């Protein structure tokens, strides 16, 4: 073990867009001996998670839980509703839609990708054209990433449903809320989403390891008509378990269940509306600071229009190699880890060092965000990166206004 370098005593702060900061209460409840998995409180805890997760998703349908990460949720969702040779439409606003499309390709599914670049949301006219052109309804599902964590673009999922209804296209609307759930407003049923995938390591504040697939009756009917579904990914027994082991098709993620139980208690004590409002306010504080810095230097928010920005993650541009230098400086001197720029430039390309991201998802509050912004300001000064003044004042004003 090396001793902490200068300035790194004190609590470290991982401000990357997932995995996110874990509350002490979550860590503490996970610190326990192995529980019996055949009887006792773990069985009740598992059952109690289901309605509480549905409240977070604003969903009254079904929920299947998996041991896995976001990629597992992607594959699980696909495995239940699309078969080799089927087609999915994938509007992409960053790296993650391509990732989900790639999982579909791996299952033998045809992917029709509409790429809208890395700085703008879905172009509804182009999606409408693609749906109109599909007169024979070959497109079986639309894979819709709500918040792309690489670009911080937030897409309008409710508007996509309205568009599908206007066109009269019967495809399933499948949303990826891996970055947004518990951070940006999302209402599965009200927004007409048929399938939604999420993980536990961002807004749900639990270490990575649990994946969720929410689905409604329409999606379940598609599942029932599938020629075959792999036993492991099949959502039916998981959503309707006759015995405890069926929730996970095997051993339960025991300690995660305790962690998630505590996280959900915290979430529901605060309330979803309050959580969305908190994320929104903290995001506005970050944007205000970034705009002020940008007035006098190269720092720039990746997404120009705030209605298209996520409240969970902020992607920033800062002339190469300043972004990497800043990340290194805050980590080495402050114990503050900022997120790498993801998918904006190929690794190895000098441009790669011109992007970074801030995670502000889950267990975050005003003093953490002020500390994050103060750390960035110190780094910009230490590295002599030109930047405008008044950033911290601007952020503090947003927080003070409540
Ligand atoms: C929007 C989104 N989708 C999918 C994933 C993939 O999740 P995982 O890395 O847990 O497999 C991520 C991960 O950050 C994500 O942000």
């Amino acid at each position: 073990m090396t001793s902490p370098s200068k300035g790194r005593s004190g609590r470290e702060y991982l401000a990357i867009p997932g995995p996110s900061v874990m509350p002490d209460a979550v860590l503490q409840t996970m610190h326990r001996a192995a529980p019996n998995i055949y009887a006792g409180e773990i069985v009740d805890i598992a059952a109690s998670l289901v309605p509480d997760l549905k409240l977070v998703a604003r969903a009254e349908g079904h929920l299947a839980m998996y041991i896995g990460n976001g990629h597992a949720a992607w594959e699980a969702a696909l495995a239940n509703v699309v078969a080799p040779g089927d087609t999915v439409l994938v509007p992409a606003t960053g790296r993650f839609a391509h990732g989900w499309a790639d999982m579909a390709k791996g299952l033998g599914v045809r992917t029709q990708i509409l790429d809208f670049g890395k700085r703008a949301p879905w172009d509804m006219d182009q999606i409408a054209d693609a749906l109109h052109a599909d007169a024979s309804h070959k497109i079986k599902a639309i894979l819709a990433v709500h918040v792309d964590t690489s670009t911080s673009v937030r897409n309008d999922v409710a508007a996509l449903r309205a568009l599908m209804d206007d066109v009269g296209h019967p495809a399933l609307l499948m949303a990826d809320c891996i970055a947004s759930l518990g951070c940006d407003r999302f209402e599965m049923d009200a927004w007409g989403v048929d399938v939604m995938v999420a993980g536990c390591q961002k807004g749900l504040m639990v270490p990575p390891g649990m994946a969720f697939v929410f689905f409604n009756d329409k999606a379940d009917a598609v599942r029932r008509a599938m020629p075959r579904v792999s036993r492991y990914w099949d959502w039916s027994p998981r959503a309707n378990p006759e015995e405890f082991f069926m929730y996970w098709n095997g051993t339960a993620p025991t300690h995660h269940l305790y962690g998630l139980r505590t996280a959900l208690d915290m979430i529901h004590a605060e309330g979803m509306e309050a959580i969305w409002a908190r994320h929104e306010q903290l995001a506005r504080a970050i944007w205000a600071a970034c705009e002020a810095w940008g007035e006098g230097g190269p720092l720039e928010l990746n997404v120009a229009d705030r209605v298209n920005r996520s409240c969970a993650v902020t992607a920033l541009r800062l002339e190469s190699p300043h972004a990497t230098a800043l990340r290194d400086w805050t980590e080495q001197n402050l114990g503050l880890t900022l997120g790498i720029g993801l998918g904006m430039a190929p690794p190895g390309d000098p441009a790669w060092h011109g992007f970074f991201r801030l995670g502000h998802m889950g267990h975050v509050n005003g003093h953490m965000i002020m500390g994050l912004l103060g750390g960035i300001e110190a780094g910009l000064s230490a590295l002599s990166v030109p930047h405008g003044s008044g950033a911290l004042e601007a952020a503090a004003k947003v927080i003070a206004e409540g």
Side-chain angles (χ1 to χ4, degrees), residues 173-195:
L173 175 54
M174 300 174 67
D176 170 339
C177 293
I178 290 168
S180 57
L181 191 70
C183 306
D184 281 287
R185 176 180 290 278
F186 176 79
E187 303 188 50
M188 178 159 177
D189 291 351
W191 293 5
V193 173
D194 300 306
V195 178

Side-chain angles (χ1 to χ4, degrees), residues 2 18 38 44 76 105 109 146 189 195 230 268 298 347:
T2 51
Y38 298 106
D44 301 330
K105 276 187 210 145
V109 171
H146 181 209
D189 291 351
V195 178
S230 91
H268 293 308

